[in-house]
Amino acid sequence: ASVCVIGQGYVGLTLAAACAVEGFRVTGIDVDEGRVDALARGELVVPGVEEPLFVQASESSSLRFASDFEDVATADVVVICVPTPVTDHRPDLSMVESAARQVGERLRRGALVVLESTTYPGTTEHVVAPLLERARFRAGRDFWLAFSPERIDPGNIKFGLRTTPRVVGGIEQDSTDLAAAFYGSVVDNVFPVSGCRTAEMAKLLENTFRMVNIALVNELAVLCGEQGIDTWEVIEAAATKPFGFMPFQPGPGVGGHCIPLDPTYLAWQSRRDTGRPFRLVELAQDINAEMPAYVTRRISDALAERGVALPKARILALGVTYKPDVGDLRESAAVATLAQLDRRGARITYHDPFVPRLRSHGMSLRRTPLTRANIEAADAVVVLTPHSEYDLAAITRHARLVFDARNALHQRGDDRVVTL
Ligand code: SAJ
């Protein structure tokens, strides 16, 4: 059978490679011709894709890449894995719509189309289906249509595509069954649900659960901080409860391209379709958004205790990406925190192995070498994103003050180390 995967980011390329390895004839389609050319040359230009899987697929003769949609005309399965960003707090489905139009112009009778892009409930039926259908060519009758959310976690060695259970919901039962059969060839555990909207909503619950619980520990951190209670110890103690609890860590806030965005889809759809806000999402997003200012205030207090005013204080920030060991700045709370420090007049330098230049929030900084001299020259070293490569104990030895916003040092008792 032949498969077309539209969108060759880490989601689409992982799926394309896995299908090729399973023996499908696969075309990875992407509008970025540079990316298509590089992938066709066997260059893994997409971070977050398991190298061995890509190499194995590239060596098979069943994976090709294209920047046009011609192969859709002969495809048995078409999977749409394009980004669904949020712009101005509104879902941006323009890439999904563009892909669906291209597919709709070529789709063969009897083919299966699956949307994987995270979106609000109702998208598959009311946005994608109409772009695929035309006279006497209807979803659920002449072709099959389903939604199946991706759960790829870049760099997670424990859970890859095959070992992560997959939710599948079709526009009607045959579509569900067909999509379940397709995914069953590349995923060990497929979980069919009663329709597209169930699958769309399940994905939003997964990531909203995460965002809201991070806001919970962030608000707790502020309250504990005001009472001199060690938040990290509180969470560690609560986590000894072996059932019904899951620990999250406070910090400068929530970044990335999933956790800040998916809940916005929920909140937006709730207001649009019911007129009611999804209060927990809106409140949690406000709480998380306040953390950069809170971290800045705590740094200012720690400096003041040492007779240093924040304006003109020399700050050396360690780690600016949205999470450790991932070279991605999207919605990075570390950057938002640097912007707050910058606004308060601090003299900022930063180091991050993944980021040689930082141009954001009106700042334009070049990475500072992590030398003993630079560490000693700082009034405060601020740990924002603790990349694995940092030897934080060694750095602390030369620092006057370390503000550890992520409890990366697990250091207590050294009065030069202040933790969020
Ligand atoms: N964060 C906290 N405290 C926490 C956990 C995360 O402040 O306890 C912050 C991180 O610093 C980061 C943001 O939240 O800025 C998102 O972190 P994340 O660990 O959720 O990482 P992501 O954005 O890569 O989320 C992905 C998601 N995967 C998919 O959507 C398929 C998410 O569902 C996964 O749970 C997550 O990876 C994971 O567990 O690694």
Side-chain angles (χ1 to χ4, degrees):
S2 64
V3 180
C4 281
V5 182
I6 320 290
Q8 289 297 286
Y10 69 82
V11 174
L13 181 56
T14 299
L15 180 65
C19 289
V21 166
E22 282 307 315
F24 289 97
R25 271 192 329 286
V26 184
T27 306
I29 295 174
D30 199 294
V31 294
D32 178 340
E33 296 192 15
R35 171 173 297 204
V36 166
D37 293 345
L39 289 171
R41 286 196 301 273
E43 291 169 33
L44 179 49
V45 291
V46 178
V49 176
E50 292 162 30
E51 176 102 27
L53 176 66
F54 177 68
V55 168
Q56 196 183 355
S58 299
E59 284 164 358
S60 76
S61 57
S62 50
L63 175 59
R64 67 181 290 272
F65 296 97
S67 52
D68 61 64
F69 287 73
E70 296 325 307
D71 285 3
V72 168
T74 54
D76 300 299
V77 181
V78 180
V79 188
I80 299 175
C81 304
V82 297
T84 47
V86 166
T87 25
D88 305 328
H89 300 287
R90 295 171 55 85
D92 175 1
L93 296 182
S94 57
M95 286 180 262
V96 168
E97 292 165 324
S98 159
R101 271 191 206 94
Q102 294 277 2
V103 170
E105 286 169 14
R106 302 164 176 82
L107 193 62
R108 194 167 64 67
R109 192 170 293 280
L112 165 67
V113 179
V114 183
L115 176 65
E116 289 205 359
S117 309
T118 302
T119 182
Y120 58 83
T123 299
T124 305
E125 289 163 286
H126 303 305
V127 175
V128 174
L131 292 171
L132 297 174
E133 291 178 325
R134 50 185 186 273
R136 293 191 311 288
F137 192 69
R138 315 290 294 168
R141 192 189 65 191
D142 305 299
F143 68 93
W144 316 103
L145 177 60
F147 181 81
S148 178
E150 57 85 12
R151 285 176 169 167
I152 295 182
D153 183 21
N156 189 326
I157 40 182
K158 187 159 181 285
F159 291 105
L161 180 72
R162 171 163 289 286
T163 48
T164 303
R166 175 68 78 135
V167 170
V168 173
I171 200 163
E172 38 71 60
Q173 191 58 49
D174 290 340
S175 297
T176 302
D177 296 345
L178 206 51
F182 165 65
Y183 281 106
S185 55
V186 287
V187 171
D188 290 343
N189 179 343
V190 176
F191 187 80
V193 292
S194 55
C196 302
R197 287 187 301 156
T198 305
E200 289 161 335
M201 192 61 100
K203 172 67 178 180
L204 297 185
L205 171 59
E206 288 167 19
N207 284 352
T208 299
F209 159 79
R210 202 164 168 76
M211 190 278 291
V212 167
N213 279 287
I214 293 165
L216 169 63
V217 292
N218 279 337
E219 186 158 28
L220 190 77
V222 176
L223 181 63
C224 288
E226 283 157 359
Q227 302 176 67
I229 298 172
D230 183 326
T231 316
W232 311 91
E233 195 182 11
V234 166
I235 294 164
E236 198 177 346
T240 59
K241 182 178 178 191
F243 44 83
F245 182 80
M246 175 179 179
F248 288 86
Q249 306 302 324
V254 173
H257 50 286
C258 304
I259 307 307
L261 306 191
D262 300 358
T264 303
Y265 275 110
L266 195 57
W268 178 83
Q269 192 249 345
S270 173
R271 281 185 180 274
R272 184 194 70 167
D273 295 355
T274 71
R276 278 194 327 280
F278 199 100
R279 290 166 296 166
L280 208 49
V281 164
E282 297 189 0
L283 180 58
Q285 287 184 323
D286 287 349
I287 289 165
N288 288 332
E290 285 165 11
M291 291 312 284
Y294 174 69
V295 170
T296 299
R297 196 160 73 243
R298 292 290 310 278
I299 292 169
S300 175
D301 294 349
L303 284 167
E305 276 172 30
R306 286 157 184 77
V308 179
L310 183 55
K312 296 204 183 331
R314 290 160 299 179
I315 301 275
L316 170 57
L318 299 188
V320 294
T321 56
Y322 86 88
K323 80 174 188 180
D325 305 330
V326 173
D328 190 336
L329 283 170
R330 278 177 286 190
E331 305 287 320
S332 168
V335 172
T337 304
L338 284 189
Q340 290 277 341
L341 289 164
D342 182 48
R343 241 182 46 201
R344 299 272 302 269
R347 282 183 287 165
I348 292 170
T349 57
Y350 83 95
H351 179 275
D352 188 301
F354 296 92
V355 183
R357 285 302 305 264
L358 183 61
R359 284 194 197 84
S360 178
H361 296 71
M363 297 181 290
S364 174
L365 300 167
R366 189 179 299 282
R367 174 171 53 202
T368 298
L370 204 43
T371 62
R372 175 170 174 168
N374 287 338
I375 293 167
E376 287 172 343
D379 294 307
V381 172
V382 177
V383 180
L384 292 172
T385 305
H387 295 296
S388 307
E389 74 172 53
Y390 285 142
D391 177 354
L392 293 172
I395 291 167
T396 303
R397 268 199 297 280
H398 306 311
R400 298 179 198 194
L401 165 67
V402 176
F403 188 86
D404 185 2
R406 286 282 180 189
N407 188 34
L409 273 161
H410 299 288
Q411 170 72 273
R412 295 294 182 280
D414 177 342
D415 64 4
R416 291 174 308 135
V417 177
V418 177
T419 305
L420 181 67

